[in-house]
Amino acid sequence: TVLAFRIARAFERAHCDEHERALARIGTAVAKYFVCKQVPQYVYEAMECLGGNGYVEDSPTARLFRESPLNAIWEGSGNVISLDVLRAMGREPAALDALLTELKQATGMHPSLDVHIARVLTLAQQPVEQLVVSARLLVDQLAIGLQASLLLREASPLVAELFCLSRLEPLHCSRNYGRLPVEMHTRFEEVIASALPSE
């Protein structure tokens, strides 16, 4: 959600701010790639939580799961979207600079993000021709880094910490859910409460 709102804000300001225009250009492709790759996993997890009731055709979850890969088909496959990011980097160097500027705004706020940013910078400095092979890796890492940066700057410290632990820390980083440290499990109610409207 934070990534979508940041890209929307970039679009809103693109007509009067060059940084925002450049961010909108590359950020849209980065966000699109990430969302298209995540949706099937999210829907699968929801289906698993519902058990057999989520699998049968009487449930909307079965249809959602069946349709979850369609964004990647209609909006461009992962390879096509990744190549679009590389095209933006090659034709508009200001686009990558804008995205890296957004990442770097959270430098020093979390050690895992600092390591992540260093890796992304190393990867992004390769010639675009060489990046074709690792384009998906770069785009995925840009998306995760941008989300972490935004959360550290704009979300509650607990939400940002949980995101960084689950996406950037080697021990807990996984595409599977439920791999956070045990001590964090006691704080889930706090996260849920922060998302609910206050009474």
Side-chain angles (χ1 to χ4, degrees):
T1 305
V2 70
L3 179 60
F5 277 111
R6 180 62 188 97
I7 300 307
R9 189 168 73 210
F11 264 100
E12 198 170 80
R13 298 176 179 171
H15 69 283
C16 62
D17 186 315
E18 186 56 32
H19 170 80
E20 298 294 325
R21 188 202 64 75
L23 180 62
R25 168 62 185 97
I26 196 168
T28 301
V30 168
K32 186 191 300 186
Y33 172 87
F34 193 77
V35 168
C36 287
K37 294 301 176 195
Q38 295 302 303
V39 167
Q41 294 173 357
Y42 292 141
V43 177
Y44 165 76
E45 190 73 15
M47 182 185 283
E48 187 178 292
C49 291
L50 294 170
N53 289 331
Y55 179 76
V56 295
E57 290 298 322
D58 295 339
S59 163
T61 319
R63 179 183 53 82
L64 291 172
F65 183 68
R66 190 172 52 252
E67 294 178 358
S68 63
L70 288 180
N71 277 334
I73 296 167
W74 289 339
E75 295 295 324
S77 69
N79 287 341
V80 171
I81 297 171
S82 297
L83 291 174
D84 186 39
V85 171
L86 296 186
R87 184 172 33 254
M89 289 169 56
R91 292 183 182 171
E92 301 178 52
L96 179 61
D97 291 343
L99 195 122
L100 293 176
T101 297
E102 291 286 321
L103 276 175
K104 291 177 188 175
Q105 286 181 28
T107 299
M109 296 180 77
H110 197 283
S112 295
L113 180 59
D114 292 344
V115 171
H116 184 83
I117 290 171
R119 276 197 310 260
V120 167
L121 290 173
T122 300
L123 189 58
Q125 288 171 355
Q126 296 178 34
V128 174
E129 303 78 36
Q130 292 179 13
L131 273 174
V132 171
V133 177
S134 55
R136 282 179 173 231
L137 174 63
L138 174 64
V139 176
D140 192 66
Q141 297 305 299
L142 286 169
I144 291 170
L146 181 56
Q147 290 172 88
S149 175
L150 290 165
L151 288 169
L152 285 165
R153 291 183 282 136
E154 299 177 12
S156 78
L158 177 59
V159 169
E161 176 65 18
L162 290 171
F163 183 90
C164 290
L165 280 174
S166 64
R167 306 309 195 286
L168 302 176
E169 290 283 341
L171 180 61
H172 307 291
C173 182
S174 172
R175 296 291 186 211
N176 295 318
Y177 302 99
R179 291 177 44 110
L180 287 169
V182 174
E183 61 271 15
M184 285 298 184
H185 288 222
T186 60
R187 305 196 65 192
F188 289 156
E189 286 184 22
E190 196 178 326
V191 173
I192 294 167
S194 72
L196 298 174
S198 56
E199 296 178 10

